[in-house]
């Protein structure tokens, strides 16, 4: 269900809602899981911005380098008038693209989509000042909700983009479903730009998700505080411990919250009461690491034909530009 637009100065965003059914399902199954989307309340989004600045966390600065290096080339290839970003956050990296499109487009529209209302509102306001010739309209909601909304609200000449290797948060089945939905949302001739983290040694990957300053641990634990606020819960974050490990068989980082003491948790708004045993874990995130050629082949099976790919000098991160 799409709520009525909320006016923010001279532009607006819309809120797309969900009801927490995924929380009920995730906490009542074995092993317990939670969706990574619950990392991103306003405080979680700010913590993630800090993670992106950590010396161990290479993905953001590596992808930003690729975008800064090749944004003009991407803009010239696509020549789009509507830019749609899934999981926009603060839109910091996106500014390389906005600057490039502003150079070549007579009219351009940017739709940032995020689950954090505070950071979405702030970034929309800041970007509108920096790019007055670009129409900016934010959507507050999940990827799935946004894609459904976009499918029925089409403007010509689109590029949808999904940066930060957020695709890695999906298991193979979810990834397949997501790419199907992207393909159905876009029209023939439209573009899809995807950023993916590439496979690399275990020590580099585990250090990136277990930083020495404990910011990632705070980010992971904040998910429980977000659930407390959103669903009237009583999680005690002091009873859980963060850990991230690299699963070399499935090529994915797995992020956990380990329960330190047996206890019950209630989420009143969901009418849910859950028992946690000492030593039990919640899987809060997977972050799959990809092979560039394999991913390009998978996307082509969804009628997303590869136009060009770019990587950094170390081959740690990749961008794939596809066209329907």
């Amino acid at each position: 269900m799409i709520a009525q637009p909320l006016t923010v100065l001279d532009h607006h965003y819309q809120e797309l809602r969900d009801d927490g059914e995924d929380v009920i399902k995730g906490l009542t199954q074995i092993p317990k899981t939670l969706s990574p989307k619950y990392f991103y309340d306003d405080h979680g989004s700010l913590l993630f911005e800090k993670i992106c600045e950590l010396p161990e966390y290479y993905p953001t600065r590596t992808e930003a380098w690729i975008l800064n290096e090749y944004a003009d080339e991407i803009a010239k290839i696509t020549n789009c008038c509507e830019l749609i970003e899934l999981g926009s956050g603060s839109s910091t990296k996106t500014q390389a693209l906005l600057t490039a499109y502003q150079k070549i487009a007579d009219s351009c529209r940017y739709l940032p989509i995020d689950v954090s209302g505070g950071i979405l509102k702030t970034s929309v306001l800041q970007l509108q000042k920096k790019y007055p010739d670009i129409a900016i309209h934010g959507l507050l909601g999940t990827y799935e909700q946004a894609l459904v909304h976009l499918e029925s609200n089409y403007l010509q000449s689109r590029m949808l983009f999904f940066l930060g290797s957020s695709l890695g948060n999906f298991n193979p089945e979810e990834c397949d479903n997501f790419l199907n939905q992207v393909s159905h949302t876009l029209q023939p001739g439209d573009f899809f730009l995807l950023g993916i983290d590439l496979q690399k040694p275990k020590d580099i990957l585990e250090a990136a998700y277990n930083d020495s300053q404990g910011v990632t641990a705070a980010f992971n634990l904040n998910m429980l505080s977000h659930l407390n606020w959103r669903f009237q819960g009583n999680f005690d974050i002091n009873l859980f411990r963060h850990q991230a490990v690299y699963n070399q068989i499935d090529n994915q980082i797995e992020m956990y919250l380990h329960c330190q003491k047996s206890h019950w948790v209630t989420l009143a708004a969901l009418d849910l009461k859950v028992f946690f045993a000492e030593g039990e874990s919640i899987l809060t995130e997977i972050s799959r690491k990809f092979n560039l050629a394999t991913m390009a082949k998978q996307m082509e099976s969804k009628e997303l034909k590869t136009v060009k790919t770019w990587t950094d000098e170390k081959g740690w991160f990749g961008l794939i530009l596809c066209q329907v």
Side-chain angles (χ1 to χ4, degrees):
M1 179 178 179
I2 301 172
Q4 291 299 312
L6 301 176
T7 300
V8 183
L9 295 184
D10 58 347
H11 42 272
H12 60 278
Y13 64 87
Q14 288 175 267
E15 183 171 3
L16 311 172
R17 294 187 176 276
D18 60 23
D19 54 12
E21 287 185 6
D22 56 345
V23 175
I24 297 172
K25 180 180 178 181
L27 293 182
T28 54
Q29 67 183 18
I30 298 175
K32 292 180 171 65
T33 64
L34 286 168
S35 168
K37 73 183 183 185
Y38 293 109
F39 287 135
Y40 299 103
D41 62 353
D42 291 346
H43 184 56
S45 294
L46 291 173
L47 285 171
F48 184 71
E49 295 298 315
K50 291 183 179 179
I51 288 172
C52 293
E53 298 172 357
L54 295 170
E56 301 98 329
Y57 195 76
Y58 63 86
T60 301
R61 63 175 177 269
T62 307
E63 186 179 36
W65 181 89
I66 299 171
L67 287 166
N68 286 324
E69 192 76 8
Y70 299 109
D72 287 343
E73 184 179 355
I74 293 168
K76 288 177 182 177
I77 292 171
T78 61
N79 195 31
C80 295
C81 69
E82 186 172 51
L83 308 174
I84 304 165
E85 181 173 11
L86 300 175
S88 57
S90 63
S91 300
T92 303
K93 289 177 295 186
T94 311
Q95 293 184 42
L97 289 170
L98 295 179
T99 298
Y101 280 97
Q102 188 169 245
K103 294 176 187 176
I104 66 168
D106 294 330
S107 63
C108 186
R109 187 181 189 216
Y110 172 51
L111 276 69
I113 297 161
D114 205 85
V115 292
S116 172
I119 202 163
L120 180 64
K121 179 178 178 179
T122 299
S123 63
V124 166
L125 291 170
Q126 291 175 345
L127 290 172
Q128 194 67 84
K129 290 180 181 178
K130 186 170 183 178
Y131 300 97
D133 296 330
I134 297 177
I136 300 176
H137 179 106
L139 287 175
L140 180 61
T142 65
Y143 311 140
E144 298 85 354
Q145 293 165 331
L147 288 171
V148 169
H149 173 72
L150 291 168
E151 193 169 359
S152 60
N153 290 269
Y154 182 76
L155 293 178
Q156 64 179 354
S157 184
R158 277 180 166 174
M159 182 174 77
L160 179 69
F161 53 104
F162 196 33
L163 303 177
S165 200
S166 297
L167 186 73
N169 296 150
F170 301 155
N171 64 38
E173 181 182 358
E174 291 168 337
C175 178
D176 195 66
N177 291 336
F178 172 79
L179 292 176
N180 280 331
Q181 195 173 6
V182 167
S183 182
H184 293 152
T185 298
L186 299 176
Q187 299 292 321
D190 285 346
F191 293 90
F192 178 49
L193 181 67
L194 178 67
I196 53 173
D197 197 7
L198 303 178
Q199 295 166 13
K200 59 186 66 63
K202 178 181 178 179
D203 59 337
I204 296 171
L205 289 165
E206 289 195 344
Y209 292 84
N210 294 291
D211 66 274
S212 58
Q213 298 178 44
V215 182
T216 309
F219 174 70
N220 198 8
L221 288 163
N222 182 69
M223 178 184 280
L224 304 183
S225 298
H226 181 196
L227 293 178
N228 283 345
W229 167 80
R230 189 162 179 175
F231 299 115
Q232 300 173 34
N234 64 347
F235 275 106
D236 182 348
I237 64 172
N238 295 313
L239 297 181
F240 292 86
R241 179 178 59 85
H242 159 82
Q243 184 188 30
V245 296
Y246 185 55
N247 179 334
Q248 292 179 287
I249 296 174
D250 294 327
N251 293 308
Q252 63 188 29
I253 283 284
E254 296 170 357
M255 208 146 79
Y256 294 96
L257 290 172
H258 300 300
C259 178
Q260 304 299 290
K261 179 182 177 181
S262 298
H263 66 289
W264 287 89
V265 170
T266 300
L267 294 168
L270 300 178
D271 194 24
L272 179 66
K273 190 173 183 180
V274 181
F275 180 73
F276 286 87
E278 183 177 348
E280 188 175 13
S281 301
I282 311 171
L283 176 64
T284 56
E285 181 183 56
I286 63 169
S287 184
R288 296 166 62 213
K289 307 306 171 185
F290 298 97
N291 175 279
L292 195 61
T294 302
M295 177 51 62
K297 186 175 180 180
Q298 182 178 358
M299 293 170 71
E300 288 193 10
S301 74
K302 308 298 181 184
E303 299 185 356
L304 297 167
K305 185 178 180 180
T306 301
V307 176
K308 194 162 185 179
T309 63
W310 299 270
T311 63
D312 60 288
E313 294 174 349
K314 293 181 179 179
W316 280 9
F317 205 95
L319 284 182
I320 306 176
L321 178 64
C322 301
Q323 188 172 28
V324 180

